[in-house]
Amino acid sequence: MWAEGGVVRIAARTRELSVACPDCRRGSARVHSRYSRTLADLAVGGRPVLIVLSVRRLFCDGADCGRRTFAEQVEGLTVRYQRRSPLLQHLVEMAGVMLAGRGGARLLHILKAPLSRTSVLFQLMRMRLPSAVTPRVLGVDDFALYADVYGTLLVDADTRLPIELWAGRDAEQLTAWLRTHPGVEVVCRDGSLTYRQGITDGAPDAVQVSDRFHLWQGLSKRVSDIAAGHRGCLTASVPEPEQAASSPPSAELSEAADTPAHRHAKQLFEAVHAVSNSGKSLSAIARELGLNRRTVAKYARAASWQECVRRTPPRRSTSLDPYLEYLRQRWEEGEHTATVLHEEIVAKGYGGHYQRVKMAIAPLRRGLPIDTPRERPPSPRQVARWITITPSRRSLHATETLRRLLEHCPELDRVHDLVRQFAAMLDARDAASLPDWLDHLASSGFPALAGLAKAIREDQPAVVQGITTPFNSGVNEGRITDLKLQKRIMAGRAGVPLLRHRVILMAGLRRRYP
């Protein structure tokens, strides 16, 4: 052993022992020749290690063996066609599994085993995948590869580890996998019709469970859509300021104002509803009117053109607000100079700029009241969140705002009651009242809820299992989050074969080192 150029070199020679032929397994000690093999090994003391090994080529004396000569292999040190020791090869493979190409190459460089990123990926793709074990409880979910391209991930719900991944989310691939892996008893999925059909064809005896998270998510989305259709009611949840009692509400002023934006919104509303009453699809209406499909959907869903107008949000509170009443009082006393008023309120503790005072008293010069801050009305998404969240987890402000809104809008109050009924079913894991709840949804008068009721009825056995059993797709969502992390590690450029290799091999590592 010696050091040369910062590299530790070890010279070794095999002993004169009998070695079995790799084909016929007959021992042989008759030497044909010797040759040297150079093997890279794990670094020692921060220096790379090279092993220069002299090995024998032996004759095979078996009359019925087709091999005339063979090279001996040293167990634990050499592998055919391999220029790295098994320990270093294992390190390279684990670096590829955990960190992919560039990250693995950087780690190997630090460990004094430099390798290019392409070589790391090449060694990774050479690794054999473990055979898939048929799980008792299977989780199925889709994930976005990029843009509108999706993939499917299968997860063993008992071990909470991925077992298979492929591109696409069609029923045929899922059916084929289930037929080649019989024995699945329970399958957790979302409300996808594709996966439902694939499971029915591939494992007809398996119990299908519609995940309750996706059920709640679907209900929350419908609630948000309904709240968006009641934008006019959302302002009722905000208490009116005292000085606004003598003046008409700002919403009425904005609706009565004849502005180009309002005229344009009214024209679009009338045009869309004139065509939508004919029974055409949204896409057909968009093509006919030359509008974006989302614009057509927004105007078709609205009950009046005022709901489609972007309203100016109320002014936010500022540091000048505590002094507005003093400014109003001094104005009425005859002091109209902004510089003097600014000096007076600075003496009282105001730390803002003179320009803000000048802008605040500008309405008084035109005979208008000072613009006082007013609380912003909640957005439809906020209202949907308040309705769907557990009442005990609402803040005091959210509770009071929601109370005023529900008192003003009986439709949203009805939606709130329906949501709380479904939440009670999920909490108690009791689906006995599900048929009556679906009837209430269908007769609620909201197309969004009626459509949800129809979808749940078509998948009612799986929905009942999702409500009453402990099985769910939570582990699927967690593994998909992990999968997206692995995609980001590879800068999102990994193809499906490489991504599949890493996901399945990492699952094998988690089984081995829990």
Side-chain angles (χ1 to χ4, degrees):
M1 180 176 68
W2 72 98
E4 180 181 335
V7 178
V8 177
R9 297 179 181 273
I10 302 173
R13 180 184 178 91
T14 58
R15 300 175 62 185
E16 302 291 339
L17 298 176
S18 177
V19 180
C21 172
D23 287 353
C24 65
R25 310 306 301 172
R26 181 175 297 175
S28 174
R30 192 158 66 96
V31 180
H32 174 275
S33 60
R34 276 187 175 271
Y35 70 98
S36 295
R37 295 184 62 177
T38 303
L39 303 171
D41 200 7
L42 296 177
V44 174
R47 294 183 176 185
V49 174
L50 290 179
I51 301 174
V52 181
L53 180 64
S54 176
V55 296
R56 298 173 295 168
R57 178 169 290 277
L58 305 170
F59 286 103
C60 180
D61 297 326
D64 54 347
C65 182
R67 186 183 293 270
R68 293 295 89 198
T69 64
F70 63 93
E72 65 177 336
Q73 302 295 334
V74 180
E75 185 178 357
L77 183 61
T78 64
V79 181
R80 294 184 67 189
Y81 309 116
Q82 186 65 266
R83 297 177 65 89
R84 283 181 288 271
S85 67
L87 287 176
L88 181 56
Q89 179 65 19
H90 179 70
L91 176 64
V92 170
E93 292 173 349
M94 291 303 100
V97 171
M98 301 302 296
L99 299 174
R102 294 186 186 276
R106 294 189 188 104
L107 176 63
L108 292 174
H109 182 76
I110 295 172
L111 297 177
K112 304 301 180 182
L115 209 62
S116 69
R117 63 180 181 86
T118 53
S119 297
V120 173
L121 294 179
F122 177 75
Q123 298 299 327
L124 169 63
M125 295 303 293
R126 286 181 58 195
M127 297 178 66
R128 291 185 178 180
L129 296 179
S131 57
V133 179
T134 302
R136 184 182 68 89
V137 182
L138 177 68
V140 182
D141 208 348
D142 61 349
F143 64 94
L145 283 167
Y146 49 86
D148 294 329
V149 180
Y150 289 83
T152 298
L153 181 68
L154 304 186
V155 181
D156 185 342
D158 289 331
T159 62
R160 308 178 71 84
L161 294 174
I163 54 179
E164 188 54 273
L165 180 152
W166 62 72
R169 48 179 179 179
D170 53 297
E172 290 75 14
Q173 292 188 77
L174 180 57
T175 299
W177 192 93
L178 290 172
R179 287 175 177 172
T180 55
H181 298 81
V184 177
E185 300 177 9
V186 180
V187 183
C188 301
R189 56 167 176 81
D190 56 14
S192 170
L193 297 175
T194 301
Y195 290 147
R196 184 199 312 176
Q197 186 61 43
I199 297 167
T200 303
D201 296 340
D205 297 331
V207 177
Q208 299 190 38
V209 178
S210 183
D211 180 50
R212 50 182 169 270
F213 165 76
H214 290 92
L215 293 173
W216 188 256
Q217 187 181 50
L219 178 60
S220 301
K221 186 178 183 304
R222 268 77 172 184
V223 173
S224 181
D225 292 340
I226 294 173
H230 288 74
R231 288 181 182 271
C233 300
L234 301 186
T235 55
S237 63
V238 179
E240 293 289 341
E242 295 179 1
Q243 63 271 21
S246 60
S247 59
S250 59
E252 294 179 5
L253 286 174
S254 63
E255 292 175 8
D258 187 14
T259 64
H262 289 184
R263 289 196 297 270
H264 179 68
K266 188 174 182 180
Q267 291 172 1
L268 286 183
F269 177 81
E270 294 173 351
V272 170
H273 277 263
V275 182
S276 61
N277 294 333
S278 62
K280 295 183 179 180
S281 65
L282 295 179
S283 299
I285 297 174
R287 288 192 297 269
E288 180 177 338
L289 299 178
L291 299 173
N292 187 281
R293 188 182 182 279
R294 293 184 179 180
T295 303
V296 173
K298 180 179 74 171
Y299 279 89
R301 187 172 57 238
S304 61
W305 64 268
Q306 289 88 346
E307 296 179 12
C308 305
V309 177
R310 179 173 295 180
R311 304 178 187 275
T312 303
R315 184 177 69 80
R316 294 190 177 187
S317 59
T318 66
S319 59
L320 184 62
D321 293 341
Y323 307 96
L324 292 179
E325 184 61 32
Y326 176 80
L327 294 177
R328 185 182 301 108
Q329 177 183 350
R330 293 289 291 133
W331 184 275
E332 293 174 355
E333 293 174 357
E335 182 55 69
H336 297 171
T337 305
T339 306
V340 176
L341 294 174
H342 176 256
E343 292 175 353
E344 292 179 1
I345 61 175
V346 166
K348 292 179 174 294
Y350 175 64
H353 196 270
Y354 149 78
Q355 192 68 25
R356 181 165 289 180
V357 178
K358 179 181 177 181
M359 294 175 61
I361 64 174
L364 296 176
R365 299 185 186 280
R366 300 191 299 270
L368 301 174
I370 291 181
D371 185 18
T372 55
R374 183 170 181 264
E375 183 181 348
R376 290 169 176 257
S379 65
R381 183 175 296 183
Q382 273 184 304
V383 173
R385 186 174 184 274
W386 291 342
I387 291 176
T388 55
I389 199 173
T390 305
S392 60
R393 296 182 59 188
R394 296 177 191 146
S395 64
L396 293 177
H397 173 264
T399 302
E400 183 62 22
T401 305
L402 183 62
R403 180 190 63 79
R404 289 194 295 265
L405 176 61
L406 298 183
E407 288 178 353
H408 178 268
C409 183
E411 291 83 3
L412 289 179
D413 188 30
R414 175 61 175 161
V415 172
H416 176 265
D417 292 341
L418 291 172
V419 170
R420 299 270 46 95
Q421 292 173 19
F422 188 66
M425 282 189 279
L426 294 179
D427 292 340
R429 289 190 179 179
D430 183 7
S433 57
L434 180 62
D436 293 338
W437 184 75
L438 293 177
D439 292 338
H440 293 156
L441 284 188
S443 60
S444 62
F446 297 107
L449 295 183
L452 178 63
K454 180 181 178 181
I456 292 179
R457 280 199 175 100
E458 294 175 353
D459 198 23
Q460 189 163 339
V463 173
V464 171
Q465 293 292 330
I467 295 174
T468 59
T469 63
F471 302 115
N472 60 78
S473 296
V475 63
N476 300 22
E477 301 297 334
R479 288 307 169 203
I480 287 177
T481 301
D482 185 36
L483 183 149
K484 291 178 179 178
L485 173 62
Q486 303 312 319
K487 280 182 55 185
R488 293 188 184 100
I489 288 176
M490 296 182 282
R493 295 195 297 263
V496 174
L498 176 58
L499 186 62
R500 174 176 179 267
H501 233 72
R502 289 195 63 220
V503 168
I504 296 178
L505 288 174
M506 288 184 70
L509 286 179
R510 289 191 175 103
R511 289 189 185 93
R512 192 181 308 171
Y513 309 108

